[in-house]
Amino acid sequence: MEMVPVLLRQLTIMALYMAVGYFLFRKKLVSVQGCKELGNLLINVILPCTIISSFRAERTPEQVSALLWSTFLSLLSLLLTFLVCTVCFRRRKIEHFGVSFSNVGFVGLPLVTSLMGEKGVLYVIPFIALLNVFQWTYGIAVISGSTEGIQPRQLLRNPIIISVVVGLAVFVLQPPLPEAFTGAVSSLASMNAPVAMIILGIYLAQVELKSLFTAKILYVSSAVRLLLIPELTVLLLLPFPADPMLRLAVLISGSAPLGSLAAIFAQMYDEDYALAVREICLSTILCVVTMPLVVVVFSGLAGIG
């Protein structure tokens, strides 16, 4: 199966990027504050440029259909995930939140981009947009235990949501854009995978490696996030007649490890921040094994070469 070696190669490259981040932090060449600033750069500049750049495709009936299919299947995938997490982690706020939201921006998007190019990014954008909306609504209700912390203004100011709106305008209106502008946006977008994985490597360097393997809940959350949810998503996606590569992009988005926002929200709402970081790191390490398995299963069933 041709896609498996490509996937393994890309995961190896991403692991090397993580190793760079790990080395930089261990050698005190990057601080915790520097990591935070890199994260701000990624979320506020690089990811929005990646999204806007992907919308610079020619507006054809096929592209419009793909965008609609991706939105529909992404929504179904996320709702399935929320159902599974409600059943498995009803009384555990950190796991309920963390497992509900995959790290699609840091892991899923770079991987899909590497496998499918800009076309693949267009398939993932609806997943990212919906995930951001749910994180700041459903997610806040889960981690805080109430709906009082939900603020619509946060969504309106969210750089991912803004970039999706701008990108849709570019896709629909097809305006002529200066080459200098499109070149700069494309160059910034190409930084997504390296910067995202370097940040994850810095996160990993802040955790004692032995502590990743000492608590049962770490394995449970990783198993649900990396195995149970992806396999159920495979069964969910198979019957639909959408492009198999589009369905694969949605599957990869939903098969990524725990999202890094779980640690940020745990800190905000006085939950166990250290546990959240350990769960994120362990699931990120294990996804190097689980994501190829999920892709192999779906590719075989969907007839992708």
Side-chain angles (χ1 to χ4, degrees):
M1 191 174 294
E2 295 180 5
M3 186 168 293
V4 176
V6 174
L7 180 64
L8 290 173
R9 183 173 67 248
Q10 293 306 324
L11 284 169
T12 301
I13 291 171
M14 290 165 71
L16 290 173
Y17 290 148
M18 283 183 67
V20 170
Y22 187 94
F23 173 83
L24 288 173
F25 187 83
R26 285 294 186 179
K27 294 298 181 180
K28 299 183 179 179
L29 297 173
V30 174
S31 65
V32 173
Q33 180 62 29
C35 178
K36 181 179 179 182
E37 290 165 355
L38 270 178
N40 288 335
L41 175 66
L42 180 73
I43 292 170
N44 293 290
V45 178
I46 296 174
L47 272 175
C49 283
T50 303
I51 291 170
I52 292 170
S53 179
S54 69
F55 272 114
R56 289 178 47 244
E58 181 183 358
R59 190 184 76 245
T60 63
E62 291 78 15
Q63 292 281 44
V64 173
S65 175
L67 204 55
L68 293 174
W69 265 116
S70 178
T71 302
F72 173 68
L73 294 177
S74 296
L75 179 60
L76 287 184
S77 173
L78 285 165
L79 292 177
L80 171 65
T81 299
F82 299 156
L83 177 61
V84 171
C85 290
T86 299
V87 172
C88 295
F89 304 114
R90 183 184 297 274
R91 297 182 180 179
R92 299 191 64 94
K93 292 181 180 179
I94 291 176
E95 288 74 24
H96 193 163
F97 180 96
V99 178
S100 291
F101 301 107
S102 64
N103 207 345
V104 58
F106 280 40
V107 179
L109 181 59
L111 190 54
V112 170
T113 305
S114 300
L115 290 173
M116 306 179 196
E118 297 249 332
K119 181 180 179 180
V121 178
L122 194 66
Y123 297 156
V124 177
I125 286 172
F127 195 104
I128 293 176
L130 289 168
L131 182 138
N132 272 270
V133 171
F134 282 123
Q135 276 181 332
W136 291 95
T137 51
Y138 174 76
I140 287 178
V142 166
I143 200 75
S144 68
S146 74
T147 58
E148 293 179 2
I150 299 174
Q151 299 178 16
R153 289 183 181 180
Q154 288 180 323
L155 283 176
L156 297 177
R157 294 197 299 262
N158 187 298
I160 304 300
I161 302 301
I162 293 171
S163 62
V164 170
V165 172
V166 172
L168 279 171
V170 169
F171 182 70
V172 172
L173 300 176
Q174 299 281 298
L177 298 171
E179 286 188 17
F181 173 79
T182 57
V185 169
S186 295
S187 295
L188 287 166
S190 68
M191 297 168 62
N192 182 55
V195 173
M197 300 314 295
I198 286 171
I199 291 171
L200 287 175
I202 295 172
Y203 284 163
L204 183 61
Q206 298 175 53
V207 178
E208 186 181 359
L209 289 180
K210 287 193 298 184
S211 71
L212 297 180
F213 308 99
T214 56
K216 180 180 177 181
I217 189 62
L218 301 177
Y219 295 100
V220 173
S221 61
S222 290
V224 175
R225 173 70 266 168
L226 300 175
L227 293 174
L228 178 59
I229 290 172
E231 295 303 334
L232 290 176
T233 304
V234 168
L235 297 177
L236 174 72
L237 295 176
L238 276 174
F240 290 99
D243 180 355
M245 296 303 288
L246 183 154
R247 288 180 286 159
L248 180 61
V250 173
L251 176 63
I252 290 174
S253 300
S255 302
L258 273 76
S260 55
L261 206 59
I264 296 170
F265 273 39
Q267 200 167 31
M268 284 172 55
Y269 290 97
D270 297 319
E271 296 293 333
D272 192 341
Y273 165 78
L275 175 62
V277 171
R278 289 158 66 199
E279 291 184 341
I280 292 164
C281 289
L282 180 61
S283 67
T284 302
I285 293 171
L286 295 178
C287 81
V288 176
V289 176
T290 60
M291 292 184 79
L293 289 176
V294 172
V295 171
V296 166
V297 170
F298 180 81
S299 299
L301 294 173
I304 300 175

